[in-house]
Every structure is written in C-alpha cells, then in structure tokens.
Amino acid sequence: MPAVELQSISKTYNNGELKAVNEVSFSVKKGELFGLIGPDGAGKTSIFRILTTLLLPEQGQASVVGYDVVKDYKEIRKKVGYMPGKFSLYQDLSVQENLEFFATVFGTTIEANYDLIRDIYIQIEPFRHRRAGKLSGGMKQKLALCCALIHRPEVLLLDEPTTGVDTVSRKEFWEMLKRLKQEGITILVSTPYMDEATLCERIALIETGNILSIDTPEGIIRQFPKLLYAIKAARMSQLLRDIRQYPEVDSCHAFGEFHHITFRQNEDALAKLLGHLQNLQHQGLEIKAITPTIEDCFINLLAKA
Amino acid sequence: MDLNEKVITTHKLTKRFGDFVATNEITFDVYKGEIFGFLGANGAGKTTAMRMLCGLSTPSSGEASIAGYDIYKETEKVKAHIGYMSQKFSLYEDLTVMENIRLFGGIYGMSNAYIKSKSEALIQQLGMEKEVKKLVGSLPLGWKQKLAFSVAVFHEPKIVFLDEPTGGVDPITRRQFWDLIYEAADRGITIFVTTHYMDEAEYCNRISMMVDGYIKALDSPTRLKQQYSAETMDEVFFELARGAQRKGD
C-alpha cells in the first residue's frame, strides 16, 4: 500500500475557469522522500490541501496511508503532519505554548515524542518563551516542523518549506528531512527551487496543474533527449542573442555563468556555431559538453508542453 | 555599464534600531547601467539598506547619494528618480493592466500624452494586447512580474530596485524576466537586485554580500569565485553566510 496515492485528481476554481489541478496521478511509497517540483501556480498547494482533507477534489480519488481523503478525513487528520506554505502557528503564543497546544490537540505530550523533534527543537529552545510571531524566518520554519511532527505522523506533508529562506537555512532544512526519513516517516515536500529536486528520492515535475514527468532525479536527467553544451564568452548577453539567431540551434538558455545549448539534428553544428561566433568577434569562448540539471529538463518539458 | 558615472554612492551608511545595528557602515558605489546584485543571508540587513537607499528610512549615520540626490535632505527627489519592484507588492490586482500603467505613470508625473504613447509601445513589446483590459489579478504570475518590472521602469528612472523579483516564477519566465533586465541596463538604467537564485547572481556585473549588517565581499562573480576557490556562487554564498550570527528575516 502506498503512503500517498492520487488517481486523476482534478480541482478547478472560479467556476471551472481556472484548472488548478488537472487529472494528476502519482503515488508515494512508504518511507519515501518525494518532491513536488514546480513554480507558483503549478497546483502544488491545492494538492496538499486535498491530501490534508482541507479541500475536496472535484474528480478522481486520493488516499493517505490507505484512507480516502473524502470519506475517511478524520482518520487522515490523525496520521499526517502538515506544514502549510504560509506560517500558520499561533503568532501570539510562545514557542513552547504552540508546541504544547499541538501536542494536546493530537492527544499526546511533548515528552512522549521528544526524541523525534529533539535535534530540531534544541535549536529554538533558547527562545521557547518568545512569541512565535517574533521569531525569524528560519526559526519559524523549525517551530512549524516541530509542531507538524509532535504527534509522530506517518506522513509529513511540507508545502514549500524553504521558500524565501536563504541557502544556508535551506541546506540545514534538507539535512533535517534526511534524518526524519531515517525514522521511517514518509515525506511529500514541494519546492519551486529546481536545485532541491536532487535531494529527493523521486520527484514529480508539475506546471499549471499538469504533471510533466515523474521519476528519480537521475531518471529524469537520463530522459533529456539531446546532448547539452555549456558555453561562455566575454559578452554574455550578446552571446545569448547571437546563439539564438543561429538556425541550427534548438534552444539556448542562460544558466548562471554559462548558457546552455542544444542543437537540431546536425552532427557538425557545434563546430559551425563556434566558427560563426568567432566571426562575430566573440572573445574568450569556452564550450563543454555537460550533464543536464533538473532545471534543464524542466525547461525542455515546458517548451514541449 | 558606464564607469564614469556613479548613480549610487554610500559612505559608512548605518542604521541602528536601539542597540541593534541593522546596517553597519556600508560603503560602496554603483555605476550607471550596472547590474548590481545585493545578496545576503536572511536578517543580514539587506531590506534595511534598501529602504534607506530608496529614501524610505532615514539613516542613523553615514552618507549616501542616489542619482545625485542626498538621502537625508532630498528624499522626494530620490523617489522620483528610482523605480521599485518587489515580489510581494507589485501592482494593484483589482485594476486592469492599462489602469495600473496610467496610475503609476501619473504618480511619477508623466503627461497623459507620454503615458498614452509609451504604454502602447510597452503593451506591444510585452505581447499583452489582448490583456490590456483584464484585471491584473487574473494574469499568470510570470506576466504580472514582467508587467510590474515594465511599470517600475516606465518613467525611465536612473535606478530600479528589484527585491526578489523572480521568487516562485517558472524557469522560462525567470529567464525572460532577465532579458528585460538586460535591456533596461543596456538603456542605461542601473539595476539593483536581490535574489535567492544563485544562478541569477552570475548575471550581475558585481555582487555585494551582506552578513550580520556588514558588506563582507564585493566584486564580480568571477573574482569572488576565484577569491573563495569556489566553483559556483552558491559555494561563495555558503562560505560567507555560514558564520552568520543573525538569523532574522
């Protein structure tokens, strides 16, 4: 039995005008760390709200640890821990009061499950008397995770836990998730940051309500259909324009220090392009074949969709 | 980028809130047409610094001039010569595309004739002819952000401040957004931008990195990577921000 399963789930808003989730199907195995990767408006939050029984799907079926999201909503609420994208703890209760509150609501105590949250909680414990509303972003995130874990849920649903958080805190957060996975907790996590995809065991790439691909990060990268090259030169924005105008180039996107290029089906296109760019007086040209990133794959799938 | 013309200069710019020094003696220059990345960990003091540079918050000490205007005495002139856009507040959702353009054009003192001719060119450039009369709230996020940027530079400011303009935007739109940034910079508009995407840091001419209220590093992405023996800007950021004491918002 999968820990989470969706079969052709759909949800619309504005009387059907906006298709937020469009026949989405995927399943998350027990103990798996599964990522839902996509930009704002992809439908990630609607999926989380359906799985947490806060929103009714219009079509399709979904279950969490075997319970149906419509019929068995009471059971599901006991089994899942949920961290919404928007900070939703009580701002005017202290750190400790929030944690006690959530423990009590779920009929347990902090002591009973302290081992599960200890590593995270000790980082905010010095501030346990501070009101939640007065915490920094990184500390709010840690408190929200503790509150979502305090009843030892079987499935943890995390909606964009790292949005707006800096690189250092993001790395720390993913380390925490790895440790929770070792405790046997199933984790479904969403993120708009493509570079976080490789930290998941399997991912679904999603955009405007549609799943583009589901696989392991390595599998998605293997499916990239073409050879990919990274190129740089002294004048990068001019280089981008010149490459895009070259007829044998299939795609060219800026990727930080380099631009990433794919070609149409021509064998010697690369050599010809380099000659062309040299004729255009580009200085400091450097090109290499590279392995695609998840973001390359996402762009490729998006362009095809 | 024109190294002969400085559009932002600061000298020991400082903001204190009681005992807390949010921004601590920051000194730097930004040039005309430069894309300047203003990075830092959460709580490093970026927002406070930006608010001072926009004329919204009076410094505790130090000096700064924006587009040639003093940030203590000439805040209204500073505001008239800059543009501002953030991820959170961009446009009025319950006004149409054209109403937003007219509103912001009017606020910046543009004439009706200028607003009319320029908005037509803008709509065409963005390919939004069919959306002119739609409420901004009904547009996809990517379009909103592109429109918001265009509105922020509608009055051809000297500098535009962009506070995490691409947060949550899909990878293709994010790159189209940067095309708009490059175009504006080529026109001579200085871009002052914050971001959490480290690949976008690479698109900047220079980067400043704030940690605990100080500017810890300031250079081109290439030289920063050399200096910190790092492969990527992500590693540079991690190296600098790891030791941060403040973990605020």
Side-chain angles (χ1 to χ4, degrees):
Chain A
M1 180 189 72
V4 176
E5 183 153 45
L6 292 87
Q7 289 172 338
S8 296
I9 285 285
S10 294
K11 174 70 194 173
T12 65
Y13 297 104
N14 298 344
N15 299 318
E17 216 175 280
L18 180 72
K19 285 185 180 152
V21 181
N22 200 2
E23 296 194 12
V24 163
S25 305
F26 66 87
S27 66
V28 182
K29 292 174 215 158
K30 193 171 181 309
E32 192 172 31
L33 175 52
F34 190 99
L36 208 50
I37 319 286
D40 288 3
K44 305 188 298 294
T45 297
S46 294
I47 290 172
F48 277 104
R49 293 179 59 82
I50 288 168
L51 292 175
T52 48
T53 76
L54 300 172
L55 191 67
L56 292 171
E58 278 155 28
Q59 280 174 48
Q61 289 191 323
S63 66
V64 180
V65 289
Y67 294 105
D68 183 86
V69 292
V70 179
K71 289 200 306 266
D72 310 320
Y73 68 94
K74 284 187 179 166
E75 284 305 315
I76 289 179
R77 290 177 186 187
K78 290 179 207 158
K79 306 283 185 192
V80 302
Y82 174 41
M83 189 170 153
K86 186 170 170 280
F87 183 70
S88 302
L89 302 182
Y90 291 93
Q91 310 257 4
D92 49 358
L93 293 185
S94 71
V95 167
Q96 193 175 338
E97 285 167 343
N98 265 294
L99 199 56
E100 275 167 4
F101 174 81
F102 283 96
T104 311
V105 165
F106 285 104
T108 183
T109 60
I110 298 176
E111 293 72 35
N113 296 309
Y114 189 72
D115 61 308
L116 189 61
I117 62 161
R118 189 186 54 226
D119 289 348
I120 309 160
Y121 189 65
I122 48 172
Q123 300 175 56
I124 50 173
E125 207 166 18
F127 312 100
R128 64 184 180 279
H129 298 304
R130 190 180 288 187
R131 287 185 188 189
K134 297 279 179 198
L135 293 175
S136 72
M139 288 197 283
K140 276 182 183 164
Q141 181 201 42
K142 287 178 183 129
L143 176 59
L145 185 59
C146 287
C147 290
L149 283 169
I150 197 61
H151 59 298
R152 204 175 279 274
E154 291 179 39
V155 177
L156 196 53
L157 300 164
L158 309 171
D159 191 5
E160 296 204 17
T162 55
T163 291
V165 176
D166 70 54
T167 302
V168 179
S169 303
R170 276 167 58 190
K171 284 201 168 83
E172 285 174 4
F173 194 82
W174 280 95
E175 288 299 319
M176 289 183 241
L177 293 193
K178 264 191 228 165
R179 283 200 298 273
L180 290 170
K181 188 193 138 46
Q182 284 162 6
E183 297 278 336
I185 296 175
T186 305
I187 303 171
L188 175 62
V189 57
S190 70
T191 177
Y193 297 107
M194 304 279 151
D195 57 341
E196 293 182 345
T198 49
L199 302 168
C200 304
E201 287 170 284
R202 282 195 309 142
I203 53 174
L205 301 181
I206 182 168
E207 213 271 334
T208 52
N210 298 297
I211 300 270
L212 300 172
S213 189
I214 303 175
D215 206 332
T216 59
E218 301 76 32
I220 283 180
I221 287 167
R222 266 200 308 276
Q223 284 166 34
F224 192 80
K226 293 196 163 166
L227 290 174
L228 186 71
Y229 297 92
I231 188 166
K232 76 171 181 178
R235 292 172 302 142
M236 288 300 277
S237 65
Q238 187 60 44
L239 183 70
L240 188 67
R241 284 194 288 270
D242 290 340
I243 293 173
R244 281 186 180 160
Q245 277 172 13
Y246 195 70
E248 295 189 30
V249 167
D250 186 44
S251 72
C252 181
H253 297 285
F255 263 84
E257 192 184 359
F258 290 86
H259 299 329
H260 289 187
I261 316 178
T262 60
F263 291 99
R264 298 182 201 284
Q265 297 307 327
N266 200 326
E267 294 269 308
D268 52 358
L270 174 61
K272 278 173 26 193
L273 174 71
L274 280 179
H276 175 68
L277 294 174
Q278 272 154 4
N279 288 341
L280 291 172
Q281 310 296 323
H282 276 287
Q283 304 294 315
L285 275 169
E286 194 184 315
I287 189 158
K288 57 186 179 187
I290 54 162
T291 307
T293 63
I294 292 295
E295 192 154 349
D296 287 298
C297 301
F298 196 95
I299 290 175
N300 177 257
L301 292 164
L302 211 54
K304 278 197 305 193
Chain B
M1 175 161 82
D2 181 357
L3 292 171
N4 295 314
E5 190 179 338
K6 293 174 184 171
V7 293
I8 299 177
T9 67
T10 77
H11 183 70
K12 296 193 171 181
L13 190 65
T14 300
K15 180 78 185 185
R16 288 186 203 90
F17 297 101
D19 294 336
F20 181 73
V21 189
T23 305
N24 205 339
E25 299 201 344
I26 60 172
T27 302
F28 63 97
D29 298 324
V30 183
Y31 300 98
K32 180 180 163 70
E34 181 170 21
I35 302 175
F36 189 85
F38 197 59
L39 308 188
N42 295 128
K46 298 190 299 286
T47 303
T48 305
M50 266 177 110
R51 286 179 55 81
M52 287 191 282
L53 298 177
C54 292
L56 297 172
S57 164
T58 309
S60 306
S61 62
E63 292 151 34
S65 99
I66 304 297
Y69 299 107
D70 182 80
I71 61 164
Y72 290 92
K73 295 184 198 128
E74 298 172 298
T75 52
E76 290 313 305
K77 282 187 176 153
V78 167
K79 288 176 201 166
H81 288 84
I82 63 170
Y84 176 80
M85 169 195 167
S86 82
Q87 188 194 353
K88 283 171 198 137
F89 175 78
S90 40
L91 299 167
Y92 288 94
E93 303 243 315
D94 49 358
L95 294 182
T96 66
V97 169
M98 189 53 85
E99 284 167 345
N100 266 291
I101 295 174
R102 271 170 42 212
L103 174 67
F104 284 99
I107 287 172
Y108 283 106
M110 306 291 108
S111 70
N112 282 334
Y114 177 89
I115 292 173
K116 190 168 186 303
S117 70
K118 179 127 195 213
S119 57
E120 277 165 16
L122 174 65
I123 296 294
Q124 205 178 6
Q125 189 201 349
L126 292 173
M128 292 180 68
E129 290 91 343
K130 285 184 187 154
E131 280 73 26
V132 170
K133 289 183 179 165
K134 283 194 184 159
L135 295 183
V136 162
S138 70
L139 298 177
L141 177 75
W143 288 38
K144 272 188 217 171
Q145 294 304 79
K146 282 189 269 183
L147 180 65
F149 177 78
S150 302
V151 167
V153 296
F154 190 77
H155 60 296
E156 293 290 318
K158 290 260 190 182
I159 307 152
V160 61
F161 290 88
L162 307 174
D163 196 359
E164 286 184 42
T166 55
V169 174
D170 76 71
I172 290 182
T173 310
R174 202 152 72 78
R175 286 169 175 79
Q176 290 169 348
F177 192 90
W178 273 89
D179 289 343
L180 292 177
I181 290 181
Y182 278 129
E183 272 171 41
D186 285 345
R187 286 210 303 276
I189 298 176
T190 300
I191 313 288
F192 191 95
V193 59
T194 73
T195 180
H196 280 306
Y197 293 100
M198 286 302 126
D199 59 331
E200 295 186 346
E202 299 275 2
Y203 307 149
C204 301
N205 297 112
R206 286 185 306 150
I207 300 286
S208 78
M209 197 75 90
M210 276 190 85
V211 181
D212 292 343
Y214 297 93
I215 289 186
K216 278 274 160 125
L218 198 173
D219 216 325
S220 69
T222 309
R223 281 199 290 268
L224 284 175
K225 281 182 284 183
Q226 282 166 0
Q227 195 184 335
Y228 289 90
S229 310
E231 286 284 311
T232 62
M233 281 306 294
D234 199 51
E235 289 172 30
V236 174
F237 187 97
F238 193 73
E239 197 54 44
L240 280 160
R242 194 172 54 165
Q245 297 301 307
R246 287 178 4 200
K247 305 231 166 168
D249 251 319

